[in-house]
């Protein structure tokens, strides 16, 4: 069984690494925050002193970090994966980052015989805990075949989308759909609430029809409780939409609706809500209409 290194034990990384331990993998882990490392060690993992140390003790290294600069630091930095990994190591970056940066990191690693897959995920914390994430992968088929079982310990599906960077392009598409969906249902539910119609009953009435969605089922129950504890923080969604806009403009694909939702998220950030769950987008519309979408 492959020895797995895990770097980045936040909201997502911690439960994902626990799934690997539960499946019987040997896991060595590292995070700049010592707290989650202690928790993983208590669950049976070994402690890495740095990303370099983790890479030197692993066949497959997984990174689950916030954004491109964090991945660049953990992989290419002085004490990074590149400095510690031997030829033949596979790096699986499961963070959601800019696909252009993925390609440049992969090229640096290739010089030392290290293969990189980008394998961002969708599903959020509950699915990370259950091991039912959707995993979208970019990179060479042979490397994908070698880590497929490891990915399926954390996910219900792992699809090779295309060459290096394609996983992150798929993730950007996913994030556009999720962000716009939350904005659309927020706009609609504020209409219901302002009209004096119980939003929970509206939800129950429409969820089986064409407007029903995984996003609706995940976010409406939280919104009805006024519960905006993350989950997926607005500041991380801003990061994804910034990457989406940059990548789209690079290839000449305008994103008019994404730009509008981006500004809504920035308005919420300016009001101190950057660390709220992205279901908190509803608060922007609630502010416009002077009404709250809550359980009656
Ligand atoms: P998080 O901020 O909770 O966790 C990130 C972890 O990385 C933290 O523990 C931090 O200390 C650590 N870290 C940062 N820089 C580091 C470095 N250089 N070396 C070692 N550790 C470092 O973020 P998260 O919610 O777990 O998200 C991780 C990635 O997954 C992001 O790209 C995010 O967009 C994506 N994602 C998140 C969700 C979600 O619902 N939270 C869902 C799908 C995808």
């Amino acid at each position: 069984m492959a020895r797995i290194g895990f770097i980045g034990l936040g909201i997502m990384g911690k439960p994902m690494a626990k799934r690997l331990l539960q499946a019987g993998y040997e896991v060595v882990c590292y995070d700049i925050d010592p707290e989650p490392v202690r928790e993983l060690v208590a669950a049976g993992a070994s402690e890495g002193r740095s990303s370099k140390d983790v890479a030197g003790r692993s066949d497959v290294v997984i990174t689950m970090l916030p954004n491109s600069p964090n991945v660049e630091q953990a992989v290419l930095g002085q004490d990074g994966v590149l400095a510690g990994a031997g030829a033949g190591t596979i790096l699986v970056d499961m963070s959601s980052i800019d696909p252009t940066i993925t390609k440049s990191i992969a090229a640096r690693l290739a010089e030392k015989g290290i293969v990189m897959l980008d394998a961002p995920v969708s599903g959020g914390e509950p699915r990370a805990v259950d091991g039912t994430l959707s995993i979208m992968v970019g990179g060479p088929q042979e490397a994908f075949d070698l880590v497929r079982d490891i990915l399926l310990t954390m996910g219900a599906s792992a699809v090779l989308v295309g060459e290096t960077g394609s996983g992150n392009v798929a993730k950007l598409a996913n994030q556009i759909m999720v962000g716009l969906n939350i904005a659309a249902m927020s706009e609609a539910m504020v209409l219901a609430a302002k009209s004096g119609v119980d939003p929970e009953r509206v939800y129950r009435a429409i969820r089986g029809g064409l407007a029903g969605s995984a996003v609706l089922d995940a976010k409406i129950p939280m919104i009805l409780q006024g519960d905006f504890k993350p989950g997926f923080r607005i500041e991380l969604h801003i990061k994804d939409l910034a990457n989406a806009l940059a990548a789209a403009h690079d290839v000449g694909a305008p994103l008019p609706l994404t730009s509008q939702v981006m500004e809504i998220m920035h308005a919420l950030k300016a009001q101190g809500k950057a660390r709220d769950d992205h279901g908190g987008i509803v608060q922007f519309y609630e502010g416009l209409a002077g009404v709250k979408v809550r359980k009656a």
Side-chain angles (χ1 to χ4, degrees), residues 5-269:
F6 209 111
I7 301 166
L9 304 168
I11 290 179
M12 297 295 286
K14 193 165 65 174
M16 289 163 70
K18 282 186 179 169
R19 293 279 317 170
L20 294 170
L21 284 171
Q22 284 157 10
Y25 286 103
E26 202 181 303
V27 178
V28 49
C29 60
Y30 175 69
D31 193 295
I32 47 174
D33 177 359
E35 186 51 43
V37 179
R38 276 196 284 273
E39 198 178 319
L40 257 289
V41 168
S46 321
E47 179 176 353
R49 290 185 304 279
S50 63
S51 297
K52 178 181 170 182
D53 179 43
V54 165
R57 296 160 61 186
S58 312
D59 308 305
V60 173
V61 179
I62 296 174
T63 42
M64 192 52 169
L65 301 163
N67 197 8
S68 315
N70 313 95
V71 178
E72 284 180 306
Q73 194 200 352
V75 176
L76 305 178
Q78 204 186 352
D79 278 322
V81 172
L82 179 61
T89 306
I90 300 176
L91 170 68
V92 186
D93 179 32
M94 303 191 76
S95 331
S96 310
I97 71 169
D98 181 338
T100 322
I101 304 294
T102 300
K103 286 185 199 162
S104 71
I105 296 174
R108 288 283 304 280
L109 291 170
E111 291 167 12
K112 205 178 162 186
I114 302 162
V115 181
M116 177 171 178
L117 295 167
D118 50 312
V121 309
S122 176
E125 188 186 18
R127 286 176 175 265
V129 172
D130 293 351
T132 56
L133 293 164
S134 298
I135 307 178
M136 40 215 103
V137 190
Q141 177 82 51
E142 313 80 68
F144 174 71
D145 291 341
L146 286 169
V147 301
R148 201 166 171 276
D149 287 349
I150 296 173
L151 295 179
L152 290 176
T153 304
M154 298 175 281
S157 70
V159 175
L160 183 65
V161 181
E163 62 191 24
T164 306
S166 308
N168 271 310
V169 172
K171 176 64 183 178
L172 293 179
N174 181 87
Q175 292 306 84
I176 290 171
M177 290 186 223
V178 171
L180 268 58
N181 252 291
I182 297 175
M185 69 186 213
S186 298
E187 195 165 301
M189 284 301 184
V190 163
L191 161 69
K194 188 80 184 192
S195 307
V197 179
D198 178 0
E200 189 188 19
R201 291 191 191 203
V202 173
Y203 164 57
R204 278 171 27 213
I206 68 174
R207 65 181 292 264
L210 197 53
S213 70
V215 173
L216 192 74
D217 285 337
K219 297 303 168 189
I220 286 289
M222 293 171 70
I223 289 172
L224 291 170
Q225 300 292 338
D227 172 11
F228 302 121
K229 178 176 163 290
F232 189 69
R233 298 190 298 273
I234 286 172
E235 64 188 4
L236 282 178
H237 214 141
I238 288 176
K239 173 266 299 185
D240 287 334
L241 294 193
N243 287 341
L245 289 163
H249 294 159
D250 257 8
V251 296
L255 301 179
L257 293 178
T258 303
S259 308
Q260 289 207 16
V261 174
M262 178 69 144
E263 292 308 312
I264 290 173
M265 291 193 194
H266 272 290
L268 290 164
K269 181 180 174 187

